[in-house]
Amino acid sequence: MMVGMRRRSLLALLLAASVMMSGEGCRHTKQGDIPQPKRPYPGVKNAPYSMRGRHFRPLSVDEALRYTEVGQASFYEAGGGLTATGERPKRGELYAAHRTLPLPCTVRITSVSTGKSCVARVCDRGPFHMRRIIDVSTAVAHELGFVRSGVHEVKIEVLTVGDGPYQRKAGEDE
């Protein structure tokens, strides 16, 4: 019985290796040589979704890299669950939620009244209060100085979209 299981495991491993070796990705010898597809853009979550009966269409990567917006921010502390990207942010981390930016991305959030700013990772969806443009972690609210007021006027600028080999920076040519 044990020999049969080992033989099947070995066969499965050999089959998987042969499939991988026949694929496009194995022709590249250096990690930097991996081609980055133009569209659809892998490594980014930007599929349309619905929440509370409303439909949302996230921005494309190109649209997001040119995105800036001014409006109301509110803050929240994640309840220990997973974000839309499958992450589990820890208390004290600089993160945010946005309705239509591709996930993940990094944004510069600047207080309109004080000029203070910080960079946060957008890894979740929200806010679903339509008068607000972004939800930020308590740590971001502390950095910008609006924990007591709860809501604050901010400017959002996208710095990067995606992770790893698929990350693109604002201002880079395609």
Side-chain angles (χ1 to χ4, degrees):
M1 175 113 175
M2 193 64 114
V3 173
M5 287 176 57
R6 285 186 188 156
R7 186 173 291 149
R8 276 183 275 176
S9 296
L10 181 60
L11 287 173
L13 182 63
L14 289 172
L15 179 63
S18 68
V19 168
M20 285 175 52
M21 291 182 77
S22 67
E24 287 285 321
C26 293
R27 288 189 219 161
H28 306 286
T29 56
K30 293 186 275 183
Q31 191 166 352
D33 290 343
I34 298 172
Q36 294 186 16
K38 294 290 181 190
R39 285 182 212 217
Y41 197 83
V44 173
K45 184 174 185 173
N46 64 346
Y49 68 99
S50 297
M51 178 61 74
R52 299 180 186 163
R54 295 189 60 134
H55 302 288
F56 299 94
R57 184 195 66 81
L59 302 173
S60 71
V61 172
D62 292 332
E63 290 170 323
L65 290 171
R66 295 185 301 270
Y67 177 86
T68 61
E69 186 175 7
V70 175
Q72 294 290 310
S74 54
F75 74 91
Y76 73 106
E77 193 64 53
L82 296 178
T83 65
T85 57
E87 300 171 49
R88 192 179 306 273
K90 295 176 181 68
R91 185 177 302 266
E93 289 182 339
L94 303 173
Y95 59 90
H98 195 277
R99 285 187 293 273
T100 58
L101 286 176
L103 302 177
C105 67
T106 56
V107 295
R108 179 180 316 283
I109 305 169
T110 305
S111 166
V112 172
S113 61
T114 67
K116 291 181 181 178
S117 70
C118 68
V119 174
R121 179 176 174 86
V122 178
C123 58
D124 209 357
R125 291 290 178 213
F128 296 107
H129 184 290
M130 292 303 136
R131 291 189 188 145
R132 302 202 180 113
I133 62 169
I134 194 166
D135 270 341
V136 300
S137 66
T138 305
V140 172
H142 274 291
E143 291 275 327
L144 300 180
F146 72 93
V147 173
R148 283 202 166 148
S149 64
V151 178
H152 195 72
E153 185 94 1
V154 298
K155 178 180 179 183
I156 304 169
E157 303 167 86
V158 173
L159 303 176
T160 67
V161 175
D163 274 335
Y166 300 108
Q167 185 181 69
R168 285 187 41 204
K169 295 179 182 177
E172 281 185 347
D173 290 339
E174 293 189 36

